[in-house]
């Protein structure tokens, strides 16, 4: 085993602020996805906002008409004009309603579509990431990209941005109308607005900080629950229920504290701003009344004297002005969380994919007059297609000859894991690795797969440097059976076919028989069509391993890697599997990693590793005769740890 630096998830749980330019990137991404729909939605939003701002103009004209009619005592002269204004205003509201329906529908489509495409971009990019990324990042944190961060982005796109756009435009429009009617009252409004902004900055800033901490606590709580669900048997076996409850109460308490602080500030902001808006309304009313009583001159673009026809709509504009500033302020937390979530998702999308400079590919061939000829049809004969700089192409038959020459490797700088390792595995040979945990056994197989690249030395496959072979083709030629079995949701047949997607049912059944899995599969309720869920929870550990071995068998690779493949199987099942494995290994190069030394006795070569170095090599009889480390392990004088 090896030690790697695992991400704590702090950055991934809401603590890290968004990077600069994230909002711009979100908008550019939406425009790229919806180049026609987005401008239409924005136009509808702007139209809706403008319509929401203009009733004050109509109100001023109507009040002036009523005032003049009252003074003149002639109501009939203005009735028609007032009716005309009301009809125009009603028509505008109908258009506003229509535009509101249109942009809401468009936003629903664009929001869900953007989330769908973002999930696709993240998942597609994730498939191209190197194994190192998953070894050094918390899996729960990666999952949160697709859940918490996606939901934060949804709220940003569907609610926060439209609301800020609408409210911001209404504030600007009303501000212009206020200046048009009365500069003095507008200055008072601006002074009150500055106070509101300072309050928003103070309260909203604290709220955002605690909301980020709340997200971190949510992630921690969810991670603990998932851990307890996966380890429920262990919890019960060791009677750890009360300790688990105590730990959960502590973690849940931390979530409560962070949520309480976040919502304390978040819930304060709305009432404070509402009350400031009410005070703002009273100040405008008192100031306007005082100016009327004192006969103060009006300074305005409209050049109209200050009158009740200006004061009354101005009060309504004041309410609307402060209310929309309040709306913008209330979106601060959603914007912060949405941009932080989007920034994290972009980090995943922007992760450097696994590099692959290989140009040698694996192709189907047939032999004609002793020469290998590339063909489209599946012949069961594979070859490495090696293009050269002069335009010529050579073919090397896939045989499974693997050679490691003086290989050095380290996961972290200045912490060597393998030193000067040389291994020669000829086609059809069975090579076993033995050693304590951390000796470097699994690391060697990771290097053969090119999950990691070596620091020094050479690895050749059929005489070709594996750095020249395309990774997908290299891995297609290798079959792996791991200690930790991963079964996917689907039927038993689907899980076996995972090793070769175009395999027929007959090929899958033959592979299962070869692995010794057919007997128990046919006794399942629906046989090969039995549905497996939750990583094959309805199968025993040994049965799951047999399905995994059948999956490798159906791929029919020339090289097999068995990493503790029988460690979870009982002795009786191991005897069944061993017969199948012996048949599976015929004619193949096989690398076996095992703690159970009985499984490596018949290996052609046994390599004993210690702290990344080969200390012994030879077959079972030779190593027993040498009476070295292997002898001590085999006789029980020394145990693997």
């Amino acid at each position: 085993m090896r030690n790697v630096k695992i991400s704590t998830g702090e950055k991934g749980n809401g603590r890290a602020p968004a990077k600069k330019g994230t909002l711009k990137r979100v908008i550019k991404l939406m425009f790229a996805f919806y180049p026609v729909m987005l401008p239409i939605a924005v136009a509808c939003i702007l139209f809706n906002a403008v319509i929401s701002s203009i009733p004050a103009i109509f109100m001023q004209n109507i009040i002036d008409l009523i005032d003049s009619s009252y003074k003149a005592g002639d109501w009939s002269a203005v009735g028609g004009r007032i009716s005309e204004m009301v009809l125009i205003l009603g028509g505008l509201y109908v258009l506003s309603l229509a535009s509101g329906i249109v942009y809401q529908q468009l936003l629903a489509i664009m929001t869900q579509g953007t989330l769908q495409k973002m999930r696709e971009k993240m998942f597609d990019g994730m498939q191209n990431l190197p194994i190192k990324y998953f070894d050094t990042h918390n899996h729960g944190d990666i999952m949160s990209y697709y859940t918490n961060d996606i939901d934060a982005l949804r709220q940003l796109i569907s609610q926060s941005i439209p609301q800020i756009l609408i409210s911001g435009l209404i504030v600007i429009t009303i501000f212009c109308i206020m200046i048009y009617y009365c500069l003095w009252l507008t200055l008072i409004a601006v002074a009150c607005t500055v106070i509101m902004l300072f309050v928003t900055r103070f309260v909203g800033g604290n709220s955002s900080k605690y909301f980020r901490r709340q997200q971190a606590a949510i992630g921690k709580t969810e991670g603990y629950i998932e851990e307890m669900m996966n380890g429920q048997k262990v919890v019960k076996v060791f009677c750890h229920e009360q300790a688990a409850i105590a730990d959960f109460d502590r973690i849940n308490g931390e979530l409560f504290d962070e949520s309480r602080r976040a919502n304390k500030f978040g819930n304060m902001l709305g009432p404070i701003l509402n009350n400031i808006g009410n005070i703002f309304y009273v100040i405008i009313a008192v100031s306007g009344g005082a100016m009327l009583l004192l006969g103060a001159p009006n300074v305005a673009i409209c050049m109209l004297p200050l009158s009740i026809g200006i004061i009354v709509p101005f009060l309504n504009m004041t309410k609307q002005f402060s209310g929309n500033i309040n709306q913008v302020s209330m979106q601060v937390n959603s914007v912060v969380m949405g941009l932080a979530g989007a920034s994290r998702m972009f980090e995943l999308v922007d992760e450097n994919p696994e590099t692959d400079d290989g140009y040698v590919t694996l192709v189907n061939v047939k032999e004609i007059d002793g020469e290998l000829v590339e063909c489209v049809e599946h012949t069961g004969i594979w070859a490495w297609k090696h293009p050269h700089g002069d335009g010529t192409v050579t073919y090397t038959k896939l045989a499974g000859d693997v050679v490691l020459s003086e290989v050095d490797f380290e996961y972290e700088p200045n912490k060597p894991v393998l030193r000067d390792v040389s291994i020669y595995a000829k086609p059809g040979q069975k090579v076993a690795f033995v050693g304590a945990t951390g000796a470097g056994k699994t690391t060697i197989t990771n290097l053969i797969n090119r999950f990691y690249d070596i620091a020094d030395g050479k690895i050749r496959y059929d005489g070709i440097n594996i750095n020249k072979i395309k990774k997908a083709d290299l891995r297609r030629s290798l079959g792996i059976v791991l200690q930790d079995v991963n079964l996917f949701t689907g039927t038993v047949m689907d899980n076996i076919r995972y090793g070769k997607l175009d395999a027929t049912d007959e090929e899958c059944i033959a592979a299962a028989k070869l692995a010794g899995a057919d007997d128990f599969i046919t006794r399942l309720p629906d046989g090969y069509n039995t549905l497996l869920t939750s990583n094959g929870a309805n199968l025993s550990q040994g049965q799951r391993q047999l399905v995994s071995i059948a999956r490798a068998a159906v791929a029919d690779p020339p090289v097999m890697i068995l990493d503790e493949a029988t460690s979870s199987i009982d002795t009786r099942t191991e005897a069944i599997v061993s017969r199948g494995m012996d048949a599976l290994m015929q004619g193949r190069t096989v690398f076996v990693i095992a703690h159970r030394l009985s499984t490596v006795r018949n290996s052609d070569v046994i390599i004993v590793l210690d702290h990344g170095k080969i200390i012994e090599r030879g077959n079972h009889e030779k190593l027993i005769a040498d009476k070295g480390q292997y002898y001590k392990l085999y006789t029980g004088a020394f145990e693997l740890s």
Side-chain angles (χ1 to χ4, degrees):
M1 296 295 289
R2 57 188 171 80
N3 296 319
V4 294
K5 183 179 179 181
I6 301 296
S7 169
T8 61
E10 281 191 11
K11 183 174 70 172
N13 287 305
R15 294 187 181 182
K19 291 183 178 179
K20 289 183 178 179
T22 299
L23 179 60
K24 181 180 178 182
R25 187 169 177 182
V26 169
I27 294 172
K28 285 178 66 178
L29 196 67
M30 289 186 66
F31 188 79
F33 292 153
Y34 300 99
V36 176
M37 202 177 291
L38 182 61
I40 293 174
V42 171
C44 290
I45 289 173
L46 297 180
F47 178 77
N48 194 275
V50 171
I51 296 300
S52 300
S53 308
I54 61 174
I57 299 174
F58 284 83
M59 183 65 71
Q60 187 269 326
N61 288 327
I62 290 171
I63 291 175
D64 279 347
L65 284 171
I66 293 172
D67 186 46
S68 61
S69 299
Y70 173 76
K71 290 176 180 177
D74 183 13
W75 291 99
S76 59
V78 297
R81 293 179 62 188
I82 291 176
S83 298
E84 182 181 343
M85 289 183 185
V86 170
L87 287 173
I88 293 173
L89 188 59
L92 289 173
Y93 276 132
V94 169
L95 291 174
S96 175
L97 175 63
S99 68
I101 293 173
V102 170
Y103 88 71
Q104 289 288 357
Q105 294 299 314
L106 293 178
L107 271 179
I109 295 170
M110 289 189 296
T111 299
Q112 296 306 318
T114 300
L115 299 186
Q116 177 197 21
K117 291 176 172 61
M118 276 301 297
R119 283 190 291 262
E120 289 173 354
K121 286 174 73 72
M122 287 192 294
F123 192 81
D124 291 349
M126 194 173 70
Q127 301 310 303
N128 296 320
L129 293 178
I131 291 294
K132 182 179 180 180
Y133 179 85
F134 301 98
D135 285 344
T136 55
H137 286 74
N138 188 293
H139 291 182
D141 191 32
I142 297 173
M143 276 299 301
S144 72
Y145 293 138
Y146 297 91
T147 53
N148 294 339
D149 294 326
I150 276 286
D151 189 64
L153 181 61
R154 176 196 60 76
Q155 191 165 348
L156 176 69
I157 295 173
S158 65
Q159 297 178 26
S160 301
I161 292 178
Q163 186 61 59
I164 289 174
L165 193 58
I166 292 172
S167 297
L169 187 59
I170 289 174
V171 166
I172 293 170
T173 305
I174 290 178
F175 180 73
C176 294
I177 296 172
M178 291 167 80
I179 291 178
Y180 178 79
Y181 281 127
C182 182
L183 180 61
W184 303 126
L185 294 178
T186 303
L187 291 175
I188 296 172
V190 169
C192 293
T193 302
V194 170
I195 294 172
M196 292 179 74
L197 292 175
F198 272 111
V199 171
T200 300
R201 183 177 181 182
F202 174 75
V203 179
N206 283 304
S207 177
S208 299
K209 175 178 67 178
Y210 287 117
F211 269 114
R212 287 196 292 269
R213 291 184 182 179
Q214 175 187 280
Q215 289 298 105
I218 289 172
K220 186 176 180 181
T221 304
E222 290 176 348
Y224 184 79
I225 293 171
E226 181 183 5
E227 187 178 81
M228 289 298 102
M229 288 174 64
N230 292 335
Q232 195 59 223
K233 289 182 181 178
V234 177
V235 171
K236 290 188 178 299
V237 164
F238 290 99
C239 302
H240 202 73
E241 292 92 342
Q242 293 305 315
I245 291 171
D247 287 341
F248 177 77
D249 288 345
R250 176 179 54 79
I251 295 170
N252 195 36
E254 292 174 3
L255 173 58
F256 168 76
D257 291 338
E258 299 298 352
S259 298
R260 178 179 55 80
R261 293 189 187 99
N263 286 283
K264 179 180 71 174
F265 283 100
N267 294 336
M268 281 171 54
L269 186 58
I272 289 174
L273 292 179
N274 279 330
N275 282 288
I276 291 176
N278 291 332
I279 296 170
F280 181 8
Y281 184 88
V282 172
I283 292 173
I284 294 293
V286 171
S287 301
M291 290 173 68
L292 277 177
L293 289 174
L294 296 173
N298 186 25
V299 178
I301 298 173
C302 66
M303 304 300 292
L304 295 173
L306 192 65
S307 65
I308 195 70
I310 289 177
I311 298 296
V312 171
F314 210 98
L315 290 173
N316 290 329
M317 286 189 285
T318 299
K319 268 290 186 186
Q320 203 173 4
F321 189 75
S322 61
N324 280 281
I325 289 176
N326 191 2
Q327 286 292 328
V328 173
S329 302
M330 293 301 291
Q331 297 301 322
V332 169
N333 292 323
S334 295
V335 171
V336 169
M337 298 307 299
L339 291 179
S343 179
R344 276 171 34 82
M345 287 188 287
F346 286 136
E347 284 179 11
L348 178 61
V349 171
D350 294 339
E351 279 289 338
N352 294 324
E354 187 176 26
T355 57
D356 188 1
D357 300 324
Y359 52 86
V360 177
T361 56
L362 193 61
V363 296
N364 281 294
V365 295
K366 53 187 175 182
E367 292 189 55
I368 301 177
D369 297 330
E371 291 188 5
L372 299 176
V373 179
E374 184 178 350
C375 59
V376 177
E377 65 271 17
H378 181 66
T379 61
I381 305 174
W382 297 89
W384 299 110
K385 181 180 180 180
H386 193 155
H388 300 279
D390 58 1
T392 60
V393 177
T394 57
Y395 295 91
T396 304
K397 191 172 182 179
L398 177 61
D401 187 325
V402 180
V403 177
L404 285 77
S405 302
E406 301 176 347
V407 168
D408 293 338
F409 176 74
E410 53 190 27
Y411 287 108
E412 296 179 31
N414 302 318
K415 294 183 179 180
V417 177
L418 296 178
R419 289 171 289 180
D420 196 28
V421 170
S422 296
I423 299 169
Y424 311 96
K426 298 300 178 184
Q429 276 192 330
K430 181 179 178 182
V431 179
F433 299 118
V434 174
T437 299
K441 305 184 298 296
T442 299
T443 297
I444 292 174
T445 61
N446 285 339
L447 296 180
I448 295 172
N449 275 291
R450 283 198 72 192
F451 289 155
Y452 291 86
D453 287 324
I454 60 177
D456 196 11
K458 289 283 189 300
I459 301 179
R460 297 186 180 276
Y461 192 162
D462 291 333
I464 304 169
N465 189 326
I466 63 169
N467 290 335
K468 297 179 181 179
I469 302 174
K470 290 189 74 67
K471 288 183 178 180
D473 294 273
L474 171 67
R475 292 164 187 168
R476 193 178 296 123
S477 71
L478 302 169
I480 302 179
V481 181
L482 301 173
Q483 177 182 5
D484 298 323
V485 180
N486 287 108
L487 299 181
F488 303 97
T489 299
T491 65
V492 174
M493 186 73 78
D494 293 334
N495 274 276
I496 295 174
R497 188 176 283 117
Y498 206 86
K500 182 185 176 185
L501 295 179
D502 59 350
T504 63
D505 288 355
E506 291 72 21
E507 288 176 317
C508 292
I509 293 171
K513 289 179 177 178
L514 187 65
D518 180 73
D519 182 55
F520 90 82
I521 293 174
T522 53
R523 287 187 281 107
L524 293 173
D526 296 313
Y528 283 87
N529 293 318
T530 300
L531 185 66
L532 302 180
T533 57
S534 302
N535 199 20
N538 46 339
L539 301 180
S540 70
Q541 184 70 21
Q543 290 172 334
R544 293 168 65 241
Q545 190 63 277
L546 289 172
V547 173
S548 175
I549 293 168
R551 177 196 293 166
V554 79
D556 195 25
V559 177
M560 289 289 297
I561 297 171
L562 310 176
D563 190 350
E564 304 281 5
T566 59
S567 63
S568 301
I569 299 175
D570 58 78
T571 306
R572 179 178 176 277
T573 306
E574 183 184 359
I576 298 172
V577 174
S578 294
R579 290 195 294 269
M581 293 302 293
D582 288 340
L584 179 62
M585 291 186 289
Q586 288 298 319
R588 291 182 170 86
T589 306
V590 181
F591 294 97
V592 179
I593 299 172
H595 275 103
R596 197 177 295 175
L597 297 183
S598 59
T599 61
V600 302
R601 281 192 59 175
N602 62 343
S603 300
D604 297 297
V605 180
I606 299 172
I607 294 175
V608 184
L609 292 160
D610 183 49
H611 293 91
K613 285 187 174 182
I614 297 175
I615 57 173
E616 294 178 24
R617 75 170 77 214
N619 59 26
H620 175 76
E621 290 73 20
K622 176 182 181 299
L623 295 178
I624 290 294
D626 290 344
K627 293 189 176 182
Q629 185 79 346
Y630 179 82
Y631 173 81
K632 294 177 183 178
L633 292 170
Y634 192 78
T635 58
F638 183 81
E639 293 185 357
L640 291 172
S641 59

